[in-house]
Amino acid sequence: RLGPASRRAAALALALVAGMAAPRLFLQPPRPGASVARRALSEADVLPPIGTVNEDEWIEVWDQSLEELALDVRELLITDANIFFVGPDTESYAEAIKDVTDMLNYTCHFLDAKNTVEMTEAVTGRLERTIIVPPISSVQRWPWALMYNGLTVWLDPDNSTRMNVQTAEKVYTQKHPQNKQMFGPKKPATMVHKDVNPPADPLEMWNGADIHVNLQERPDTSPQKMIMANIIEGILASPPKWRGWFQQAKIRGTIGADYQTPLEARRSYHSYGVSPRLNRLLTER
């Protein structure tokens, strides 16, 4: 048995231990329970992270109005001088092309040139034009050398299949095979007797256009909306290199952050803005 002195010492020691432990027990904030943690995790799943885009608010290009499509086409055609329309039946869609021309604030013209010299005189130095090329001219090779300087649009009413470069080259090689020599060097080149390539198929010629407008893909959509929507999607799928080059130069500090090319400055002066969809695509994606 402990004596009175031992009992008093043990009681004093217990009192000191309780006094030291009391602040720790009552001054620390309570830890969150499992329900609070589960609630926080569920809220984190619902709220989007900072800097992301709400995909539920995304709209397709076909859901836009004609006015928004016209604004976006003008913005994306900032470095293209003219728009050339080719196809098997461009005259039937002349009214739709004229409507697109008016919405873009361009000038519509019919190509009546018979050779490269006449077409050069009619096209060179004239900007912001929509040119309707008749089928008899678009199936020949001479106008394409000038049409490559603008944007070429293939109006396809027959639901044809667009071929890429590899497939088109393979088809052309199969149609026009060349005999290879087994031994010896190749035939020397001459400036007098040139090898003339046979005329290409009309579909192969139109397949070289920049934009393919399949008018049978959405029969309920107007030709005006089909033309502008396909132009927007085609340019966004293959954007011009100068946009990336200028963005990299601005990041490096080679040019100022507010620098604009002369065409950009002119377009910003005459522009009415762009749609929210294109603004998001050019800035966030």
Side-chain angles (χ1 to χ4, degrees), residues 134-149:
I136 191 63
S137 299
S138 62
V139 297
Q140 303 180 47
R141 296 184 184 277
W142 59 267
W144 286 87
L146 292 171
M147 289 194 293
Y148 283 143
N149 295 325

Side-chain angles (χ1 to χ4, degrees), residues 188-232:
T190 176
M191 300 298 295
V192 180
H193 303 287
K194 294 184 179 180
D195 293 334
V196 180
N197 295 328
D201 185 83
L203 290 179
E204 296 179 6
M205 299 294 294
W206 298 326
N207 192 80
D210 302 313
I211 307 297
H212 178 213
V213 181
N214 188 357
L215 298 170
Q216 298 298 328
E217 183 180 2
R218 295 175 178 269
D220 299 333
T221 307
S222 63
Q224 294 87 341
K225 180 174 285 190
M226 289 291 295
I227 291 172
M228 292 191 290
N230 279 279
I231 289 176
I232 293 172

Side-chain angles (χ1 to χ4, degrees), residues 61-62 69-78 80 82-85 97 100-101 104 106 130 151-155 210-214 223-240 277-278:
V61 67
W62 316 103
L69 293 175
L71 291 176
D72 295 350
V73 171
R74 280 188 59 86
E75 175 65 24
L76 294 175
L77 289 177
I78 191 170
D80 290 286
N82 300 304
I83 308 176
F84 298 91
F85 290 93
I97 296 174
V100 173
T101 303
L104 297 180
Y106 276 31
T130 57
L151 187 77
T152 312
V153 180
W154 173 21
L155 299 182
D210 302 313
I211 307 297
H212 178 213
V213 181
N214 188 357
Q224 294 87 341
K225 180 174 285 190
M226 289 291 295
I227 291 172
M228 292 191 290
N230 279 279
I231 289 176
I232 293 172
E233 292 297 290
I235 296 179
L236 291 178
S238 180
R277 178 180 183 271
L278 182 63

Side-chain angles (χ1 to χ4, degrees), residues 8-22:
R8 284 195 297 270
L12 182 60
L14 290 175
L16 290 174
V17 172
M20 295 173 62

Side-chain angles (χ1 to χ4, degrees), residues 14-47:
L14 290 175
L16 290 174
V17 172
M20 295 173 62
R24 297 182 180 180
L25 292 175
F26 297 103
L27 294 181
Q28 287 183 350
R31 296 181 179 179
S35 60
V36 178
R38 285 194 296 268
R39 191 181 308 114
L41 290 175
S42 62
E43 292 178 357
D45 295 337
V46 173
L47 297 177

